[in-house]
Structure formats: structure tokens, C-alpha cells
Amino acid sequence: MRKLLLISTVLVATAGAATADVAVSGDARMGLTSADGGKEFQFSSRVRIKFTLSGETDSGLKFGATFRSNDAEKANLGTAGTAFIDIPNIGKITMGDAEGAVQAAVVQFAAIGYDESGKRQELKFLTGGDTGKGTDLLYTYSSGPLAVSVSAGSPGTGSGSGATEGADDFAVGAAYVTEFWKLAAGFEDNGVHNQTVLSGSYGNGQAELKVAYGLRDDDETQYVAYGTYIFGTNTLTGFIKQDFDGLNYNGVGLSHDFGSGLAVAAGYATKEGSDDLVNFGATMSF
Amino acid sequence: MRKLLLISTVLVATAGAATADVAVSGDARMGLTSADGGKEFQFSSRVRIKFTLSGETDSGLKFGATFRSNDAEKANLGTAGTAFIDIPNIGKITMGDAEGAVQAAVVQFAAIGYDESGKRQELKFLTGGDTGKGTDLLYTYSSGPLAVSVSAGSPGTGSGSGATEGADDFAVGAAYVTEFWKLAAGFEDNGVHNQTVLSGSYGNGQAELKVAYGLRDDDETQYVAYGTYIFGTNTLTGFIKQDFDGLNYNGVGLSHDFGSGLAVAAGYATKEGSDDLVNFGATMSF
Amino acid sequence: MRKLLLISTVLVATAGAATADVAVSGDARMGLTSADGGKEFQFSSRVRIKFTLSGETDSGLKFGATFRSNDAEKANLGTAGTAFIDIPNIGKITMGDAEGAVQAAVVQFAAIGYDESGKRQELKFLTGGDTGKGTDLLYTYSSGPLAVSVSAGSPGTGSGSGATEGADDFAVGAAYVTEFWKLAAGFEDNGVHNQTVLSGSYGNGQAELKVAYGLRDDDETQYVAYGTYIFGTNTLTGFIKQDFDGLNYNGVGLSHDFGSGLAVAAGYATKEGSDDLVNFGATMSF
């Protein structure tokens, strides 16, 4: 391998010049994963590359885009990856596989274990790019501790991520963040259902607790409570969840960081009525 | 994002050493586009990465290749992307999704608007890579103001881009370029039809006019007239076109350049018997 | 092309810092290839990019991953590309599209000609990533002249590369390497068949001879004898092979290296009962 980019720690300054650049980063993992509660394990590995494009004009207007190499064809069509323009004092406009405004505002629950453990910790959103459909628009504005967001699926076509035929989807969200606390709420409507989400988190740098609650217009509810505790270079995570169908989930994850991008992690996640997921292995970021 | 490549403005000299390198560049866009004359608009975004491979031997022989990440699988098969060798005093040989010799020689009409506006400004070629099939070969030679080109689809197999079963496709082109003028012509045959193309352009750095005319062997004709006017950091473009079916097209585009790779652009393009295309948005290059 | 990465010859030292990096390299080729013994030739070209991710912790633990851009989607699923961890004094663990332990241990036969000539020189392996299925694990350990390897397909699922339903595949290999000699052997079992492979090579830097012999449990055998001779910047290669079906192959290849990553190569390969393959063209590495 003749071409080694030492790009993680080197930043060449170009005094006074506006720039437009491409960054290449990556991640990988390898380990064992079980979909039947640990009776049988399978080998599981993954390698990915992420491209991050960024630019800034002399007047301070920032712009950029990002996608993963395995999404290259979808990014070319606008259904994966995102592009954005960030205008000082006006806000940031993101298009593509953009998050809905609720997801952008409320507290996030990172996947646990070495391979995401089925993402069983996730709150369900009705709108936005994570639903995997169409091209969405997200506008966010921050001022001191307050951030607001508004999003919409592609208008008039039912092509937005949460949209159904002939019904536009949209969402609004707001978050208030202090050094220790975050309080956030949002409302989203995908033309079939709407959902109101309330969330909060408290963290002191060593321990963090996050909760989120969603109320759908048919009175069904979902909630997640998620705790993180850091001791040394280890991180312990646990969650409980109930989805709109009333099914209960819980899970626990532990990771140990070797530094330089290498960590080992283990995860265990349950879902009422389904087999438990168990996994452990190494994660790498480059 | 830990890995930031400041690659747009930094060139590290390696005195006297022959090199073989990979460059990563990208482009993105986000905006609104209408396929029904402006009655309804949809969100439209795109992110792409382009790899450009280049090398030079000590003896001055240049070689290289290029493809977009969304074409990675096709580039592996030779039907997207191109590879070339450029031999001093002999010429450049390009293979892959290469342009036909007519397209390589005659004046080019850049797409207008933020999203190409359906490429309605394009002259139609009968041969070459843009037709999207097979692996083609293009040879070009330049000497002072004169450039000549010859191209062919893959021999004996009907697999060339313009080829039909059992019929090879080929093309020849020539261009004469001065500081202000370009005159170019070409002839191409795809085994079913042949076409003679004449084209010319005049530009003084602020305004430019381009015309191209194609005569098919069945006496059907096509033409494009295309004007560009630059004022400050704005570019105004307009075109009229008639295709082989006698259908008339016209279009107008306006773009404003913010520098650093960011621009905003709007486009409007008509096609006789079809709905008008309207679009506007931001374009980014990295 | 504004972004030129001069990455082949530049290595920026970051004293004492652990690193995690991404390297981008590429290869391309263009030439003529015939699948009918030279009666008809077709254009043939290819462009590829390879990502190589590498990291090292302060404690000396190395890790990394690699895949080609045209395999990006499979690499995301673990069936192409590989990830590895290399623990000092313990060994290297590779997962993904990993080679089987036999393939990893025994002598390798590089493809000849400009386009691999149908890979007719290859010994057939029963296990490991080259069979194109599933996620495999390979463990290798080296101590001085001795290297040992053990591999397995994904356990309990029949998803390993050589595995069949309900039958795990595994392999072991060992190699002893001196300055001039290499002796290596291996045993592999894919649940249907097993194979014992013996191989050896002798090379003095100018000439090299390699042989490999495989005995399957049904007493069918395969063998390859492969010679390479280097004169100046030219490399001449020839091989003879017999596969498990008793079919004979032979081939000859010649390449000339221009330096800087550019070479021209020609190849000719036969297979009993099939048309001869003939090819010549340019190969490029970046």
C-alpha cells in the first residue's frame, strides 16, 4: 500500500483562503453476533467509508455534503446522503436523507453493543430520512441555548420520507440545552398519523440519563429511558423501551476504549415476543 | 470528522520523482425542481464523489483514469469511467465510457439550471460513451490549433456504445481552435445511421455564441444555438434547439457564483409537446 | 481537477501519536482481449479504487480494514472486504471476505497477462473468501520462518464461504519460508469434500519456480507448476495446470514495466476443451 494518508492529525493551513475540501473517513467492526439469545453465534463484520465534503465562502457562508460509499448510488439520486447550506444568523438548510425535525431536536439514543443490537433502543419517528424514503428538507436554527427545527417531505408528491400518497409530511421541534440539561419536544405528521414527542436528558460528564416519550394521535404511546455511565475508559449503557404496540424492550451494553479508534464492545437487547440479541466484538474508526 | 483533507489548494512537490496519485473531488446540489412547468415543485438533491487517478513516467508518458463513486461497479466492468494513456507527439488513447470522436471534437453545450434541466440543450450523438453502452475507444491528437479524433465501439461484437448487432460503430472529428474562434466538424456511423456534424463558436471571454448542426443520412437534421453572457459573477445562458424529429426546444439559465465552489442557479427549458422544466437551487463543488 | 493528493511519496510524521488513517489507491487497465483464441478481439478496460484503513494503539495493537469501491455494498454486509486486528505475539485475526487458511499458507500464483487471462493459473480452494460467500474468519501467526493459519466459515449456519447447509467449513495451513525457499501445506474441509494441499517455491530474485498439488478426499487431484523469469524490466511467466476434472491448462504471460505504475502486458492461456484466451494492453497502478 503505497498511498498512506496521514489525515487524522494533519491540518495544513491556507491563510486567508476560502476552501472546499473532501474528507475520507471510515469505520469497521468484526465480532460475533447471535439472533437467538446466544445459542448460536455467527461471524459478523463490516467495513465502510464516509465522504464529507465541506466548503466556506469568503463571506462566511458554509456548505457541505456527506454520504457513505455503500450509498453512492442513492446519494446520486438524493435518497441517501445529505447536502447543506449554513447561513450565518439565518440557519442551516439540509436536503436529502435528512432527519425529521423531531428527530433532529429530541435526545438521541446511540445503538449499544458492537453491532447496534438490532437498534432496539431507538424511538420511532414518523417523518424524516431515517424512514428511508424520498428526499427531505430540514431547517435548523440555533441561538444560545435554544435550537428550533422544521422539516418537510418533498411537497405535493407523497415522496417525502414519511409521506403517503397525496399527503405531505412535516415536523417541528425545539430544544433547550444547558451545560447539564437538555429539554426537547417536537410534533410530526406524516398524513396518516401525528406524534408528539417530549424528551429530556441530564448528564454530568460521567453519568447521563435520557428519556423520551411519544404520544400518537390514536393514543398509543412509546417511551425510552436510557442511561450511560463512564468509568475510566469503559462505558456502560442500559435502556428500557416500550413501543407503540405495547411491546417491552430492554438492553445493556458495555464498551472498552483502547484509544486511536479501537474499542471492544458487547451488547444484549431483548424484545418482548422475540429472541434476544447478543453480540460482542471490536469496533474501529479511522 | 477527524480527517480533513485540505487538498484543494495544497500541492506538495516531490522534486524529480515520477508520481502516481489519486485525487478525490466531489459535487453536490440541493434545490427545487418542477417537471410540469412550475405547478408543482419537488425537493431535489444529489451528492457525488469523483476519483481521478493520474501518473507520469520518467520518460514523460502520462496515464490516468477516472470514475464517479456511484459508477464504481460499472467502472469495474469497463462501461463507466475511463482510462487513458497520453503519449507525447503521438496522442491520447482513452478507453471505457469514452466520448465518440464527434462529441470530442465539436463544441459542447453545458447543461443549464441547477439540475441540468433535463439536458434539453444537448446535441444528439450516434456513437460514444454517452449512449451508455459498451466499452469504447477514443484517440485524440492535437498540434497547435488543430485537434483530430477517431473513435470506435468494441470491434466485431456489436458491443460498442452506438453499435448494433454485427455492425461496428466509428467516428472521426476535427477541430480548429484560435483565441476567439472554434470550428469543428465530425462524421459518425453506428451501423444504422450516420451523421455529419458541423459546429462553431465565438467568444471574447465575456460573451460566447455556439452553434452546431447535424445532418443524418435520412436527411433529418438537428441544430443547437447556445449563447452565454457573463456579467460580474453572474452567467446568463440561453439556447434554441431542434431535434431529429423536428421538435423545438428552448431554455434559459442564470447562475450566480459565490466563490469557493458555491453557486445558485435557476433554469427553464421547454420541449415541444412536453411540459416545461423549471428548477432553482444551490450547486456546490469540492 | 483541483484536488490532487500527492499521497504516494509523502508521509507526514506525527511524532509519538497513535494514528488511524484512510489510504486511497487505485488501479486501471485498457487493452484488447479475445475469448476465441485471437479470431476476434474486444476492447476491455477497468478502473477501481481501493480503500485501506489502518490504525495502531499506543500499546502497539494494530488494526485495519480494506475494500474496493465497487464492493462498497458488500463490504457493508461483511461479504466483501476484510477487517483485522493484529495483536503482538498473539497473531492476526481477519474477518470478512478472508482467505481460507490453506490459501493464506500455500504459494500464490499471480494472474498473467493484462487482464488475468481468465485466472486459469489458479489452484482451486474449497474454503475461504475467494469462493465469494458468507463471512469468514482467518487467524494467522508468524514466528521467524514459520507461519501457521487457521480459518473457519461462520459457525453453525452454513454461511461460511465454503460451507454447505448444516456443515461448518474450516481449514489449517502452515508455511516455512527462508530467503530462497518456501514450503507450505494445508488441509481444508467444506463439509462436502476435504483437500490436502502441498506447495513449494524456489526463487533467487531473478527466476522463481512454484508448484502446488491438491488431493481431494475422492482421490481427485489438481496441480499447478508456475515459473517466472525477470530480465531487466520485463517479466516472463509460464504455467501448466491440471484441475480436479483432469483438464489441462497452460499459459504464458509477458509484461514490461515503464515504472511509476505503468506497464504493458500480454497473456495467453489455454484450457482443454475451451477456446484459448489472448489479451494485451496497459496496466496502471496509482
Side-chain angles (χ1 to χ4, degrees), chain A residues 109-133:
Chain A
F109 306 105
I112 63 169
Y114 115 92
D115 79 338
E116 302 178 337
S117 306
K119 297 188 179 181
R120 287 185 171 174
Q121 88 294 345
E122 281 195 344
L123 200 74
K124 182 180 172 72
F125 297 105
L126 306 181
T127 64
D130 256 23
T131 58
K133 294 177 289 177

Side-chain angles (χ1 to χ4, degrees), chain B residues 39-124:
Chain B
K39 275 176 277 187
E40 285 193 334
F41 281 88
Q42 296 188 33
F43 296 153
S44 164
S45 68
R46 183 175 79 173
V47 194
R48 302 189 301 181
I49 283 286
K50 188 178 188 176
F51 301 107
T52 305
L53 298 70
S54 58
E56 182 172 355
T57 67
D58 291 329
S59 61
L61 207 154
K62 290 175 184 166
F63 57 99
T66 187
F67 69 95
R68 290 211 177 84
S69 63
N70 57 302
D71 286 329
E73 293 176 35
K74 287 182 181 171
N76 184 44
L77 300 174
T79 59
T82 53
F84 75 87
I85 296 182
D86 193 347
I87 309 172
N89 301 318
I90 292 187
K92 182 178 179 177
I93 302 166
T94 304
M95 198 182 278
D97 185 30
E99 291 182 325
V102 177
Q103 186 174 10
V106 302
V107 299
Q108 304 281 326
F109 306 106
I112 63 170
Y114 116 92
D115 79 339
E116 302 179 337
S117 307
K119 298 189 179 182
R120 289 186 169 173
Q121 89 294 344
E122 281 194 344
L123 199 73
K124 182 180 173 72

Side-chain angles (χ1 to χ4, degrees), chain C:
Chain C
M1 193 83 315
R2 299 171 13 260
K3 280 153 247 304
L4 189 63
L5 307 193
L6 287 184
I7 52 186
S8 58
T9 51
V10 180
L11 201 76
V12 183
T14 55
T19 55
D21 304 304
V22 177
V24 182
S25 58
D27 66 80
R29 66 187 189 202
M30 52 186 281
L32 294 172
T33 186
S34 170
D36 59 5
K39 275 176 277 186
E40 284 193 335
F41 281 88
Q42 296 188 32
F43 297 152
S44 165
S45 69
R46 183 175 80 174
V47 194
R48 302 189 300 183
I49 283 288
K50 188 177 188 177
F51 301 106
T52 304
L53 298 71
S54 59
E56 182 172 356
T57 67
D58 290 330
S59 61
L61 207 153
K62 290 174 184 168
F63 57 99
T66 187
F67 70 94
R68 290 211 177 83
S69 64
N70 56 302
D71 286 329
E73 292 176 36
K74 288 182 179 171
N76 185 44
L77 301 172
T79 59
T82 53
F84 75 87
I85 296 182
D86 193 347
I87 309 172
N89 301 318
I90 292 187
K92 181 177 179 176
I93 302 166
T94 304
M95 198 181 278
D97 183 30
E99 291 183 324
V102 177
Q103 187 174 11
V106 302
V107 297
Q108 303 283 326
F109 307 105
I112 62 169
Y114 115 92
D115 78 339
E116 303 178 338
S117 307
K119 297 188 180 182
R120 288 186 169 173
Q121 89 293 346
E122 281 193 343
L123 200 73
K124 182 180 171 73
F125 297 104
L126 305 181
T127 64
D130 256 23
T131 59
K133 294 177 289 179
T135 298
D136 293 85
L137 181 77
L138 170 67
Y139 165 80
T140 54
Y141 174 78
S142 300
S143 176
L146 187 68
V148 295
S149 52
V150 180
S151 68
S154 197
T157 61
S159 70
S161 287
T164 51
E165 198 67 41
D168 296 340
D169 61 320
F170 75 93
V172 295
Y176 190 85
V177 182
T178 70
E179 187 179 355
F180 298 111
W181 288 91
K182 174 175 180 172
L183 291 174
F187 176 83
E188 60 183 350
D189 188 326
N190 69 0
V192 176
H193 282 297
N194 68 54
Q195 178 182 212
T196 305
V197 179
L198 302 173
S199 73
S201 67
Y202 172 81
N204 62 9
Q206 182 166 31
E208 189 179 41
L209 180 65
K210 300 173 174 179
V211 293
Y213 169 84
L215 170 63
R216 211 162 59 179
D217 59 346
D218 57 3
D219 288 335
E220 299 293 345
T221 61
Q222 62 173 343
Y223 67 82
V224 181
Y226 183 101
T228 306
Y229 184 74
I230 299 174
F231 50 109
T233 55
N234 305 295
T235 302
L236 180 66
T237 308
F239 72 87
I240 56 171
K241 185 176 100 169
Q242 191 174 86
D243 67 15
F244 283 132
D245 297 327
L247 299 177
N248 290 296
Y249 303 67
N250 58 65
V252 60
L254 179 64
S255 71
H256 172 77
D257 189 359
F258 287 99
S260 302
L262 181 65
V264 289
Y268 179 83
T270 71
K271 176 183 176 180
E272 192 177 341
S274 296
D275 281 333
D276 299 346
L277 303 180
V278 193
N279 58 78
F280 58 93
T283 64
M284 315 173 192
S285 67
F286 304 88

Side-chain angles (χ1 to χ4, degrees), chain A residues 7 12 18 21 23 52 154 286, chain B residues 1 3 5-6 43 47-48 260:
Chain A
I7 50 186
V12 183
D21 303 304
T52 305
S154 197
F286 306 88
Chain B
M1 193 81 317
K3 281 152 247 306
L5 308 192
L6 287 184
F43 296 153
V47 194
R48 302 189 301 181
S260 303

Side-chain angles (χ1 to χ4, degrees), chain A residues 12 90 122 135 224 258:
Chain A
V12 183
I90 291 188
E122 281 195 344
T135 298
V224 181
F258 287 100

